[in-house]
Amino acid sequence: MALTPGGSPKLQEAQPPLPPLPEDRRQERLVELHTSFRELFTFFCTNATIHGTIRLVCSSHNRLKTASWGLLFVGALAALYWQFGLLFEQYWRYPVIMTVSVHSERKLFPSVTLCDMNPHRPRSACHHLQVLDEFARENIHSLYKFNFSEDRDVLCAGDRVPLPAFYLDRTIRLQRLSQPGDQNKVGFRLCNSTGGDCFYRAHSSGVTAAREWYHFHYVNILALLPTAHEDSHRSHRGHFIFSCQFDGQDCQARYFQTVHHPTYGSCYTFNGISATQHPGITHGISLVLRAEQQDHVPLLSTEASIKVMIHGRDHTPFLEHQGFSVRPGTETTIGIREDEVHRLGSPYSHCTRGAEGVDVQLLYNASYTLQTCLVSCFQQLMVETCSCGYYFYPLPSGAEYCSYTRHPGWGHCFYRLYGDLGTHRLACASRCPRPCRESSYKLSAGTSRWPSSKSADWILSALGKRNPRSLSQNPGLRSHVAKVNIFYQELNYRTVDETPIYSVPQLLSAMGSLWSLWFGSSVLSVLELLELLLDAIALALLLGCRWLRRVQAPSPEAATGASRGAPEANQLPTDCRNDINPQGGTCQPHPPQRSREPWQESLLKS
């Protein structure tokens, strides 16, 4: 209570109290606003769950300990991120391990391709082949003084078919090559279309050189024939397959597909339609085959056998790479074990799940395999480089086969390109990935003499090889037949799966192990570091804004002069203008406010 100038008492309004100060300024609030980086760092080190951070605060009175723990903390952090770098470097290499597992279930019987090794002579090119045979006899005689037997069949007598235009290039002949310091070799010379850049296809074996030389001229003749010329199995004398049984039942003709190979003769591919339910020889395929060679070309094929290949269903057989031979006069038993390879694909390995993702147009109407892709790629490069295609491979649309009648010097181009393919200098190796799922067959074989001396007469008679002479009088009869048994040894098959060494869960687990090793903390500790980073950024922005306001504010001298002057009427509060107090009495200006602490100013501004 106070007295007015007239002496009457007057109640004085109480001043509002100042806001109370907090008991602990370091107490964490909903939104923590620190006044300095030192306060922010002290709060983090005191409350963080990372091991070692508290030592940076509690040892603040001992600078040596603080420096030591600071170096240890920085060193542990550097070692942690160095190991993180090694871990991510290994992860981005995408390494894999091969996991082998064994499964047991019914499997479809694989395809079996058999060739009689008896290529026939096309009637439309029979005369040209006879000219080539005469030229071959001359070359063999000039090298080895050997004369072929004269009791040969006249195969072209009576034929009246149009012959394609062809001339035999007699400049490409067999030669004996003698080089100083090297053994004698046999080969033939090939030049480009202008007669330059010549080289020799030479071999230390005269047999290999003669076969390759004859094969080169033979392809030039066949390339002139129409694409859809007669199939060899139509002109084949007799039947190649005497008998066939699959899973104890006779095979049906629809199980076989017949094709002709220029070197291997008539080829038959067996495709069983049922799954094998039991292992063993009685549940496989058993064939009795004819092994005669009526039209045998001695320089084209030097072996008397039957070519066999076991491959996946709907896969193109490449007998020159994966086929094996069966000897006539024997019974060959072949057991199969199957392995499957499952690849992960990108980014762990370079593989494809089909022909759609391959940058090569496949020329075979079959499933994708690495070999079909390589052959298709090579044939396309052959057409682009040599302007023609190799006769043993399918043609791209609009192309024609190579023959020196129409393409002089194609042999020079072909052998150069084929050599680059063998040394992986062509782009085909990178353009043709492996299949992501691939089956391979492990074979084990056994042979025995068949038919035996006691049973040969009646077996050959039952097969239609009737001859008044017995096997004892003609031992060569046994070489006319062969028996082949192919079966699953067991239905268990192995799968080889690619497994990544570091998947995403394994990567996170390895990172957590390293983090626990160096700092003994968890994922939430990483979030504390993130919170520290965000608080530091917010504090830096806040301090930057204050500095800009301080720079843009008026000078302290002007502010001091303005504060010393009396306030004008329009600057007084509304209640005190004209000394009028709505409640009566004399109006008095409000007393000055107490100055506040800097942290209070920060809180109020926020």
Side-chain angles (χ1 to χ4, degrees):
M1 179 180 295
L3 296 177
T4 61
S8 61
K10 177 182 179 296
L11 292 175
Q12 187 174 1
E13 185 178 0
Q15 299 297 328
L18 294 175
L21 296 176
E23 295 180 359
D24 188 4
R25 296 181 183 179
R26 291 173 297 182
Q27 182 179 358
E28 186 176 7
R29 305 173 186 88
L30 180 62
V31 178
E32 180 72 24
L33 296 173
H34 303 278
T35 60
S36 65
F37 286 103
R38 181 182 182 86
E39 181 181 349
L40 174 64
F41 181 71
T42 302
F43 176 82
F44 173 78
C45 292
T46 306
N47 298 278
T49 59
I50 301 176
H51 291 185
T53 55
I54 189 64
R55 304 294 298 178
L56 301 176
V57 178
C58 66
S59 302
S60 58
H61 300 291
N62 190 331
R63 294 183 178 181
L64 179 60
K65 285 187 177 182
T66 303
S68 301
W69 277 102
L71 292 176
L72 289 175
F73 188 85
V74 173
L77 189 65
L80 172 67
Y81 282 98
W82 173 67
Q83 289 191 332
F84 275 177
L86 296 179
L87 181 63
F88 276 98
E89 181 184 5
Q90 188 175 9
Y91 173 75
W92 282 324
R93 290 177 182 173
Y94 301 107
V96 297
I97 57 175
M98 308 305 291
T99 304
V100 180
S101 57
V102 180
H103 306 269
S104 179
E105 60 183 18
R106 295 189 303 171
K107 300 288 293 183
L108 285 175
F109 201 80
S111 298
V112 180
T113 298
L114 309 104
C115 299
D116 60 4
M117 298 297 291
N118 190 22
H120 81 297
R121 296 169 178 261
R123 289 183 298 169
S124 56
C126 188
H127 176 71
H128 299 319
L129 291 175
Q130 280 190 338
V131 174
L132 175 60
D133 290 343
E134 292 294 336
F135 186 49
R137 294 188 186 96
E138 295 176 6
N139 282 265
I140 296 298
H141 183 268
S142 64
L143 289 175
Y144 303 106
K145 308 304 179 183
F146 173 78
N147 293 319
F148 283 87
S149 176
E150 294 296 333
D151 57 343
R152 57 186 184 275
D153 298 332
V154 183
L155 301 174
C156 301
D159 288 343
R160 295 292 185 268
V161 292
L163 300 178
F166 174 75
Y167 77 94
L168 184 64
D169 190 353
R170 295 182 177 270
T171 60
I172 304 176
R173 59 185 304 117
L174 283 175
Q175 303 178 32
R176 191 183 300 276
L177 308 175
S178 299
Q179 299 179 357
D182 295 338
Q183 59 179 348
N184 293 335
K185 293 185 177 182
V186 178
F188 54 99
R189 190 179 68 167
L190 294 171
C191 303
N192 59 17
S193 56
T194 60
D197 191 23
C198 300
F199 68 91
Y200 284 91
R201 288 287 298 176
H203 299 276
S204 58
S205 171
V207 176
T208 304
R211 287 188 58 196
E212 185 175 357
W213 173 83
Y214 187 91
H215 184 271
F216 174 74
H217 286 287
Y218 181 72
V219 167
N220 283 275
I221 297 175
L222 296 183
L224 300 175
L225 301 179
T227 305
H229 65 280
E230 60 179 350
D231 294 332
S232 65
H233 67 277
R234 295 179 182 175
S235 60
H236 194 277
R237 298 178 184 178
H239 298 284
F240 172 56
I241 301 176
F242 281 120
S243 66
C244 172
Q245 281 191 335
F246 176 67
D247 199 11
Q249 299 181 358
D250 293 337
C251 304
Q252 300 181 17
R254 57 191 174 96
Y255 292 170
F256 289 92
Q257 295 177 353
T258 306
V259 295
H260 176 257
H261 194 279
T263 303
Y264 301 119
S266 298
C267 297
Y268 300 81
T269 299
F270 171 80
N271 294 305
I273 60 174
S274 60
T276 302
Q277 300 184 7
H278 304 283
I281 191 171
T282 57
H283 298 283
I285 184 173
S286 179
L287 304 107
V288 178
L289 307 173
R290 184 190 298 269
E292 292 181 350
Q293 298 177 339
Q294 294 93 345
D295 301 333
H296 184 67
V297 182
L299 289 180
L300 191 62
S301 177
T302 57
E303 59 179 312
S305 63
I306 297 170
K307 207 73 171 180
V308 181
M309 179 178 172
I310 300 173
H311 54 91
R313 299 173 63 86
D314 199 27
H315 288 180
T316 302
F318 292 92
L319 290 96
E320 61 271 22
H321 299 290
Q322 298 174 342
F324 58 93
S325 300
V326 172
R327 179 183 177 183
T330 61
E331 179 178 3
T332 304
T333 303
I334 302 170
I336 304 174
R337 285 189 177 93
E338 184 175 357
D339 291 341
E340 291 185 3
V341 179
H342 300 165
R343 299 180 178 90
L344 291 173
S346 180
Y348 296 97
S349 59
H350 185 43
C351 70
T352 180
R353 304 189 185 278
E356 293 78 12
V358 181
D359 187 25
V360 175
Q361 181 184 1
L362 296 185
L363 303 179
Y364 294 90
N365 187 20
S367 299
Y368 178 87
T369 60
L370 178 61
Q371 196 65 34
T372 56
C373 181
L374 290 175
V375 170
S376 300
C377 178
F378 176 80
Q379 185 75 315
Q380 292 171 8
L381 290 177
M382 180 79 183
V383 172
E384 295 173 2
T385 308
C386 308
S387 302
C388 58
Y390 188 52
Y391 182 76
F392 281 4
Y393 305 147
L395 276 178
S397 58
E400 61 180 4
Y401 286 119
C402 295
S403 175
Y404 48 59
T405 303
R406 296 177 299 205
H407 309 90
W410 77 268
H412 177 276
C413 179
F414 166 76
Y415 283 111
R416 291 286 193 194
L417 202 63
Y418 195 78
D420 292 340
L421 178 66
T423 55
H424 303 286
R425 285 183 289 181
L426 296 182
C428 295
S430 59
R431 295 173 61 188
C432 293
R434 290 183 175 274
C436 291
R437 297 180 66 92
E438 188 177 13
S439 296
S440 61
Y441 299 97
K442 309 299 181 183
L443 309 180
S444 58
T447 60
S448 61
R449 194 175 185 181
W450 187 88
S452 64
S453 302
K454 299 295 183 180
S455 59
D457 293 336
W458 74 266
I459 289 179
L460 295 176
S461 178
L463 294 176
K465 301 293 296 180
R466 295 182 177 88
N467 195 302
R469 294 177 297 177
S470 64
L471 184 64
S472 59
Q473 297 174 344
N474 187 6
L477 291 177
R478 182 184 284 113
S479 63
H480 293 170
V481 293
K483 187 175 181 179
V484 180
N485 303 311
I486 302 173
F487 62 96
Y488 269 116
Q489 285 185 323
E490 54 186 20
L491 294 184
N492 297 335
Y493 65 96
R494 296 190 310 170
T495 60
V496 183
D497 299 284
E498 283 187 348
T499 305
I501 294 180
Y502 286 108
S503 60
V504 174
Q506 291 170 331
L507 176 66
L508 295 177
S509 176
M511 293 176 63
S513 300
L514 291 176
W515 183 266
S516 299
L517 172 66
W518 291 103
F519 291 101
S521 53
S522 62
V523 176
L524 297 180
S525 304
V526 180
L527 298 180
E528 291 177 355
L529 287 175
L530 181 61
E531 181 189 18
L532 174 64
L533 177 63
L534 295 178
D535 288 345
I537 294 175
L539 181 59
L541 293 176
L542 181 60
L543 295 179
C545 292
R546 288 182 180 178
W547 180 81
L548 289 176
R549 288 181 181 180
R550 191 178 299 112
V551 170
Q552 295 175 359
S555 60
E557 292 79 7
T560 305
S563 62
R564 291 176 180 176
E568 298 179 1
N570 57 359
Q571 295 176 345
L572 294 175
T574 305
D575 299 341
C576 296
R577 292 180 185 176
N578 301 324
D579 296 334
I580 298 174
N581 193 335
Q583 299 177 356
T586 306
C587 180
Q588 295 182 0
H590 295 294
Q593 299 282 339
R594 279 183 58 186
S595 62
R596 296 181 175 87
E597 295 276 337
W599 66 271
Q600 293 174 326
E601 291 289 340
S602 173
L603 180 62
L604 292 177
K605 287 182 180 180
S606 301

